[in-house]
C-alpha cells in the first residue's frame, strides 16, 4: 500500500461507529473507554452498546450527529464524534447530558437510583482557550471545590491539540489514531504505540479502507458533511453581510447604537453566540441590555 494513500478517516462519524459501535470489537472498545476515562481496563466488567444500527438513511442526512451510547458497569456513557464546528456546542452537550440522566429514571424509582452519566465529546475543532486537549467538567462548590455529586461528568477531547502534547498517555495514541488520514500516519502509530488494542484497531481500519463499499459510504458521508459546513458558513456570511447592511442604513438615520443592535439581532438569528455577536458589533453587554 502506498504510504501516502488516503485511508477512511476514523474521525468520520460513520467509520467511528463501525469501529466503536460493533460488539465484535469489544476488546478495542474496552481499551478505548478505559483510556478516555483514565480507569483500569480490567475494572470494566461489562460494556453494552445501546445503539449499534447504522442505517443507509443516516448516510444521506445533512445536519445530523452520531453518538455512541454505552452501558459501562452500570454507568451511562455517551461518546460523540463531532467533525464540523457547531454553534452553542457546550450548551447542547449540557442539555443532552440532562436528557440522558433524567430519562433513565423510571416511574416509581427514587432519585438515588439515578446512574452516573458521562458525556464524552471528541471534537475536530477547538472550543476552549487553552493548550490542553482534555477538559473534564464536574459540579463543584465555588470556594471549597467540594464536588456536589459523582453523577455528573462531561469530557471534551480536542483533536487539533493532541500533537502538541508530551504527556505520553494512552489516550493520546487513541486520539492520534482518530486523527490519522494516511497510511503513513497509521504506520508511524503502529510502530510507536504499546497498546495492543490500537494495533488491532489499525488492522480493522485498514480492512475498512480496502472495502470498496465502505469507502463509498465514507465518501458520500464526508461530502454531506462538507455540504453542511458550507451551508452553515454561507448562512453566517449572509447574516453578517445582511446585519451590517441593514445596520448601516438604519444607523445613518438613528445613530450607532441602533446600528449595533440590528447587527447583533441578525447575528443571533444566524446562531452566533451573544458574546461573539457583541464583539462583532463592538457593543458591550450593558449597552445591549439597556437598549433591548
Amino acid at each position: 500500500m502506498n504510504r501516502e494513500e488516503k485511508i477512511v478517516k476514523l474521525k468520520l462519524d460513520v467509520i467511528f461507529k463501525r469501529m466503536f459501535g460493533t460488539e465484535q470489537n469489544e476488546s478495542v472498545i474496552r481499551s478505548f473507554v478505559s483510556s478516555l476515562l483514565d480507569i483500569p481496563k480490567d475494572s470494566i466488567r461489562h460494556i453494552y452498546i445501546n445503539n449499534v444500527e447504522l442505517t443507509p438513511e443516516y448516510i444521506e442526512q445533512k445536519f445530523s450527529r452520531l453518538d455512541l451510547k454505552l452501558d459501562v458497569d452500570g454507568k451511562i456513557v455517551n461518546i460523540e464524534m463531532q467533525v464540523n464546528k457547531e454553534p452553542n456546542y457546550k450548551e447542547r452537550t449540557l442539555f443532552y447530558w440532562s436528557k440522558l440522566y433524567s430519562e433513565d429514571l423510571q416511574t416509581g424509582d427514587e432519585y438515588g437510583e439515578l446512574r452516573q452519566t458521562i458525556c464524552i465529546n471528541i471534537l475536530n475543532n477547538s472550543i476552549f482557550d487553552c493548550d490542553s486537549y482534555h477538559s473534564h467538567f464536574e459540579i463543584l462548590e465555588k470556594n471549597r471545590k467540594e464536588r456536589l455529586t459523582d453523577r455528573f461528568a462531561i469530557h471534551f477531547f480536542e483533536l487539533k491539540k493532541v500533537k502538541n502534547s508530551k504527556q505520553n498517555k494512552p489516550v493520546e495514541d487513541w486520539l492520534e489514531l482518530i486523527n490519522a488520514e494516511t497510511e503513513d500516519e497509521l504506520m508511524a502509530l503502529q510502530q510507536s504505540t504499546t497498546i495492543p488494542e490500537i494495533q488491532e484497531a489499525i488492522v480493522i481500519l485498514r480492512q475498512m479502507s480496502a472495502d470498496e463499499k465502505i469507502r463509498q459510504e465514507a465518501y458520500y458521508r464526508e461530502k454531506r458533511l462538507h455540504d453542511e459546513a458550507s451551508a452553515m458558513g454561507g448562512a453566517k456570511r449572509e447574516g453578517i453581510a445582511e446585519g451590517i447592511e441593514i445596520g448601516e442604513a438604519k444607523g445613518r438615520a438613528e445613530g450607532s447604537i441602533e446600528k449595533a443592535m440590528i447587527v447583533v439581532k441578525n447575528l443571533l438569528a444566524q446562531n452566533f453566540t451573544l458574546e461573539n455577536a457583541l464583539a462583532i458589533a463592538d457593543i458591550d453587554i450593558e449597552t445591549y441590555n439597556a437598549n433591548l
Side-chain angles (χ1 to χ4, degrees):
M1 179 179 289
N2 184 346
R3 296 182 65 178
E4 294 301 320
E5 182 177 342
K6 296 290 185 180
I7 58 173
V8 291
K9 300 174 185 177
L10 190 50
K11 70 177 66 175
L12 191 61
D13 47 12
V14 292
I15 303 301
F16 185 88
K17 191 165 188 178
R18 282 188 179 276
M19 177 71 77
F20 299 113
T22 304
E23 291 180 339
Q24 67 188 42
N25 296 340
E26 184 177 348
S27 62
V28 170
I29 300 167
R30 186 184 301 272
S31 177
F32 182 53
V33 172
S34 74
S35 294
L36 288 174
L37 297 179
D38 195 21
I39 58 177
K41 183 171 54 179
D42 294 340
S43 72
I44 301 177
R45 298 183 300 275
H46 172 74
I47 292 180
Y48 176 72
I49 304 170
N50 290 322
N51 57 339
V52 297
E53 186 178 6
L54 187 63
T55 62
E57 291 78 12
Y58 176 84
I59 310 298
E60 296 299 320
Q61 289 178 4
K62 287 185 182 180
F63 304 100
S64 57
R65 304 169 188 89
L66 184 143
D67 60 312
L68 183 64
K69 298 184 182 72
L70 306 174
D71 185 316
V72 181
D73 293 339
K75 303 179 183 69
I76 300 171
V77 177
N78 186 82
I79 304 175
E80 180 169 321
M81 179 70 238
Q82 185 72 24
V83 179
N84 290 340
K85 189 173 183 179
E86 180 174 324
N88 307 315
Y89 189 82
K90 300 172 191 176
E91 291 75 14
R92 188 179 74 78
T93 299
L94 182 60
F95 175 74
Y96 193 49
W97 177 91
S98 69
K99 288 189 64 177
L100 288 171
Y101 183 63
S102 60
E103 287 175 354
D104 188 55
L105 192 68
Q106 304 298 315
T107 302
D109 288 349
E110 297 182 1
Y111 290 116
E113 296 179 59
L114 283 165
R115 294 189 290 165
Q116 184 178 15
T117 301
I118 303 167
C119 283
I120 299 172
N121 303 278
I122 302 174
L123 309 177
N124 195 40
N125 59 281
S126 299
I127 61 173
F128 298 109
D129 186 18
C130 66
D131 294 330
S132 176
Y133 63 83
H134 178 206
S135 298
H136 177 190
F137 291 89
E138 296 182 340
I139 301 176
L140 302 176
E141 198 283 328
K142 182 178 180 180
N143 297 312
R144 301 190 307 276
K145 308 304 179 186
E146 178 182 345
R147 186 167 62 175
L148 177 66
T149 176
D150 67 351
R151 302 293 201 274
F152 177 93
I154 295 181
H155 296 260
F156 295 87
F157 292 91
E158 298 170 279
L159 293 174
K160 294 188 181 299
K161 297 178 179 178
V162 178
K163 288 188 181 297
N164 297 326
S165 177
K166 304 295 183 182
Q167 299 179 55
N168 297 317
K169 292 184 176 181
V171 69
E172 293 174 5
D173 283 358
W174 282 108
L175 297 177
E176 288 288 6
L177 178 63
I178 295 173
N179 262 329
E181 297 187 5
T182 67
E183 173 60 22
D184 186 61
E185 292 173 320
L186 277 189
M187 290 187 67
L189 179 59
Q190 189 174 35
Q191 293 168 3
S192 64
T193 188
T194 59
I195 302 172
E197 291 82 6
I198 289 184
Q199 301 281 2
E200 182 181 348
I202 289 173
V203 172
I204 296 170
L205 192 58
R206 283 182 175 141
Q207 291 172 344
M208 287 194 283
S209 296
D211 187 312
E212 184 60 29
K213 181 179 179 181
I214 294 177
R215 289 183 69 92
Q216 285 295 315
E217 179 182 281
Y219 170 78
Y220 286 118
R221 182 62 186 143
E222 191 164 18
K223 184 176 183 300
R224 287 292 186 184
L225 291 173
H226 282 313
D227 290 345
E228 174 182 336
S230 296
M232 292 185 70
K236 288 180 180 179
R237 288 190 296 272
E238 290 174 9
I240 293 172
E242 182 182 356
I244 292 175
E245 182 179 350
I246 295 175
E248 286 178 346
K250 185 84 172 176
R252 284 192 293 269
E254 300 182 13
S256 59
I257 297 299
E258 289 82 357
K259 167 186 171 181
M261 292 295 289
I262 293 174
V263 171
V264 172
K265 178 181 177 181
N266 279 275
L267 292 175
L268 291 176
Q270 299 298 325
N271 291 323
F272 276 69
T273 64
L274 178 58
E275 181 181 4
N276 288 340
L278 293 176
I280 293 171
D282 194 22
I283 184 175
D284 58 41
I285 186 64
E286 291 78 11
T287 303
Y288 172 77
N289 289 331
N291 287 274
L292 285 176

